[in-house]
Amino acid sequence: MIYKNFTRSEAERAEDGALHLQSEDGQDWYDVREKLSAEKLKIAYQADGVIRQQSYNAVELFPENLSIAEVSKKAIPKDFPERLDGNWIFDGKKITPRVIPESELIAQAEETRAQLMAEANQKIAPLQAALDVGIATYEELDKLKVWKTYLVLLSRVDISNVPDVDWPVQPVV
């Protein structure tokens, strides 16, 4: 069974302070979750099919702006992860790996590069400050050179080869 597009509802219920969700056909989430089988995996997925939540226990799900489907154990792919990563879709019948568009892979690689460069800059800043005020030790100068080299190598990474990006090894100094 599939329950489509749960959105917030102003429905009156006995539970005070609880947010309420209602499917597009008017079913309350709290009523729906009582109907779901404990033997089947429940998946919550976006309108584009990307699976965002999963559990055998419906109480663990809160499908705001998501649809819910139950999947039998035999219909779950062998390599389906326990922790979702946005790389699986549900097409209304089966779970399959998501084909990620190149533009999204490039955006992910750019984000990774930005995070790695921010980490490198955090390591560089105090070392550079020690050099600037003339109190850097030889060890600090060596570390500064290693981290700056890494930073330059990151800036030169060709991310157009996604998903096969050749990332430089982060220094362990």
Side-chain angles (χ1 to χ4, degrees):
M1 185 69 163
I2 296 176
Y3 301 91
K4 294 207 173 210
N5 195 25
F6 283 92
T7 55
R8 286 193 184 194
S9 164
E10 300 299 323
E12 292 286 330
R13 289 194 55 99
E15 299 91 356
D16 291 322
L19 290 175
H20 296 281
L21 301 178
Q22 190 173 53
S23 66
E24 65 183 30
D25 66 351
Q27 295 188 66
D28 183 86
W29 167 239
Y30 295 103
D31 294 334
V32 166
R33 75 181 193 185
E34 297 300 320
K35 300 175 192 175
L36 300 173
S37 167
E39 302 300 314
K40 293 184 177 181
L41 179 68
K42 271 75 60 201
I43 56 171
Y45 61 96
Q46 298 173 170
D48 62 2
V50 175
I51 301 170
R52 293 295 175 196
Q53 299 174 22
Q54 69 179 19
S55 181
Y56 281 94
N57 183 353
V59 174
E60 295 177 358
L61 305 175
F62 192 75
E64 184 173 7
N65 299 318
L66 301 170
S67 296
I68 292 284
E70 288 187 296
V71 181
S72 67
K73 289 181 182 181
K74 66 180 182 180
I76 301 169
K78 291 185 187 339
D79 52 350
F80 189 64
E82 285 186 32
R83 294 185 63 147
L84 291 173
D85 53 11
N87 291 328
W88 292 84
I89 59 169
F90 181 69
D91 66 4
K93 295 182 181 167
K94 64 182 185 287
I95 296 171
T96 57
R98 179 173 166 241
V99 177
I100 302 173
E102 184 177 2
S103 61
E104 189 174 327
L105 290 172
I106 288 172
Q108 289 172 356
E110 287 172 345
E111 184 177 331
T112 297
R113 178 171 38 200
Q115 289 172 347
L116 293 172
M117 291 180 84
E119 289 172 21
N121 278 317
Q122 285 180 337
K123 300 287 187 178
I124 290 169
L127 299 170
Q128 184 65 51
L131 175 63
D132 292 347
V133 297
I135 60 170
T137 65
Y138 290 116
E139 183 183 347
E140 289 171 326
L141 293 172
D142 289 342
K143 286 181 182 179
L144 181 60
K145 182 176 181 182
V146 169
W147 279 106
K148 281 188 171 184
T149 300
Y150 174 67
L151 186 66
V152 170
L153 293 174
L154 281 173
S155 73
R156 293 178 179 170
V157 168
D158 181 5
I159 59 174
S160 67
N161 294 326
V162 290
D164 300 318
V165 177
D166 188 20
W167 296 102
V169 177
Q170 191 174 51
V172 189
V173 292

